[in-house]
Amino acid sequence: MRIKDLRAAAGLSQERFALKIGMDRTYLASIEVGGRNVTLQNLAKIANGFDMALSEFFEGIPRIDPRE
């Protein structure tokens, strides 16, 4: 959801953002809906596409307790 929200806030379509970061649009779409496990390398590409550090990308996302 974070990716979709940031992309929408930037006014970018999936197609335009995917082209900007060198990623296939269908792959990006599947990440946005939670259909893919995304690699750290691809998360870095996405964060860079929003002109933010990877650490900044994760700010404000609540921690998930794996025991739950």
Side-chain angles (χ1 to χ4, degrees), residues 8-32:
L12 295 168
S13 66
Q14 283 181 343
E15 183 72 28
R16 178 168 250 163
F17 186 66
L19 286 170
K20 178 179 179 180
I21 63 173
M23 188 176 287
D24 184 83
R25 187 206 57 81
T26 58
Y27 181 71
L28 177 64
S30 65
I31 292 169
E32 286 188 357

Side-chain angles (χ1 to χ4, degrees), residues 17 20-21 43-54:
F17 186 66
K20 178 179 179 180
I21 63 173
L43 281 175
K45 276 185 179 181
I46 291 166
N48 287 338
F50 293 120
D51 295 322
M52 61 175 53
L54 190 54

